Amino acid sequence: MDSTNLNIAILGSGNIGLSLAKGLVKAGMAVPAHVTLTRRNTAALAPLAAAGYATTADNLGAVQAADIVVLAVLPQQLNKLLDEIAPALQSRQPLLISVVSGVSCADIRQHLGQSVRVVRAMPNTAIAIGQSMTCVAADEAAEDDFALVQRLFDTVGVSIRINEELMTSATALCACGIAFFLRSIRAASQGGTEIGFHAHDALKMAAQTAKGAADLLLQLASHPEQEIDKVTSPKGCTIAGLNEMEHQGFSSAMIKGIKVSAEKAGKLYKEG
């Protein structure tokens, strides 16, 4: 199936929705004219409209013309959105891709009161530059639907299929994780400034060092401790710095932060 000929509606064009649209177009998986972006304030989408995307505040109308519908609103907004688009789903079955945190496929079917084709995906904002880590899951999706969703997201990063009960955890590790690693890089750059580098140089050095560390693991299929051992020598400066960070709770703080984010992600839909 040629995805460039499919009509894609992205309902809720915030950061993730816009990142997905731009990433798919950049990767050649879609053309702007076949991508409809919805938002209550369409004025905010003016630059996208100028670039050839269709923009509207009419979610129902967007779904009526779509082959793929991406649900990209906040968990608290989902039920209202589903009520709005339900009439369009009674006579046709577009593929629904939900990127809404903490909402199961069963939740969506139950609210709509009908069986729909739905696959969950959890990308992160690096999708805009083709570097997303996207987790994909469903409870009863057809293999063709799974394959299409993975093909879309593989062109804008890397996707992995997981059990649906792990999707909330994936939100914390991959989607929230972008912010965690950015904060780590920011902290490293601040340390660099404190030891003498100009802020812009320290940030570039910290970001490239983080990128290199990640690529060592991905390209060599290595383990972090193997790579750490290569740069730690007896009585050396690396082990001294690592040990001080551990004394201050570095690893513990990261682990606890991920756990708290996962717990919060699982409650957002029900709290809404």
Side-chain angles (χ1 to χ4, degrees):
M1 185 183 299
D2 183 1
S3 61
T4 59
N5 292 326
L6 297 175
N7 290 316
I8 302 173
I10 299 177
L11 312 184
S13 299
N15 290 332
I16 285 292
L18 292 179
S19 294
L20 174 59
K22 293 174 182 177
L24 290 175
V25 168
K26 183 177 181 180
M29 289 295 291
V31 294
H34 288 177
V35 179
T36 300
L37 305 171
T38 77
R39 191 165 178 163
R40 282 176 292 184
N41 177 17
T42 55
L45 299 175
L48 282 302
Y53 295 85
T55 63
T56 180
D58 181 7
N59 291 312
L60 179 60
V63 171
Q64 288 172 332
D67 302 298
I68 297 173
V69 177
V70 180
L71 306 174
V73 296
L74 295 173
Q76 303 92 319
Q77 301 170 335
L78 179 63
N79 286 348
K80 182 179 178 181
L81 175 65
L82 293 177
D83 290 339
E84 189 177 350
I85 67 173
L89 302 176
Q90 293 175 356
S91 59
R92 53 193 307 274
Q93 284 273 307
L95 172 60
L96 304 183
I97 302 175
S98 171
V99 299
V100 184
S101 299
V103 182
S104 69
C105 297
D107 287 333
I108 292 173
R109 287 195 301 270
Q110 182 177 358
H111 190 86
L112 289 170
Q114 58 182 304
S115 179
V116 292
R117 298 162 58 206
V118 57
V119 174
R120 293 175 66 185
M122 184 48 60
N124 58 41
T125 52
I127 199 168
I129 57 168
Q131 293 294 329
S132 178
M133 177 67 249
T134 302
C135 295
V136 179
D139 56 353
E140 54 181 51
E143 183 58 35
D144 286 348
D145 287 342
F146 248 134
L148 175 58
V149 173
Q150 283 204 269
R151 189 157 63 89
L152 291 175
F153 285 101
D154 278 342
T155 63
V156 286
V158 176
S159 75
I160 182 172
R161 191 182 299 193
I162 65 174
N163 293 332
E164 191 183 7
E165 59 264 27
L166 290 173
M167 282 298 281
T168 299
S169 298
T171 302
L173 184 58
C174 301
C176 303
I178 281 281
F180 303 154
F181 288 108
L182 288 172
R183 180 58 62 84
S184 299
I185 293 169
R186 174 59 174 155
S189 73
Q190 288 176 313
T193 302
E194 187 162 338
I195 61 176
F197 295 104
H198 290 294
H200 64 278
D201 289 334
L203 181 57
K204 183 175 182 179
M205 294 160 70
Q208 179 59 37
T209 301
K211 183 176 184 293
D215 284 345
L216 280 173
L217 303 183
L218 293 171
Q219 294 182 26
L220 300 181
S222 185
H223 188 279
E225 291 305 322
Q226 287 181 287
E227 300 304 322
I228 288 171
D229 286 346
K230 294 176 183 178
V231 292
T232 52
S233 55
K235 296 184 178 181
C237 53
T238 303
I239 193 62
L242 284 172
N243 284 343
E244 180 61 24
M245 291 179 191
E246 290 305 321
H247 290 323
Q248 298 299 327
F250 179 82
S251 294
S252 179
M254 179 73 86
I255 293 166
K256 289 179 179 177
I258 291 171
K259 289 178 66 178
V260 169
S261 286
E263 291 167 3
K264 182 65 174 179
K267 297 175 181 176
L268 291 175
Y269 180 56
K270 295 178 178 62
E271 288 177 352

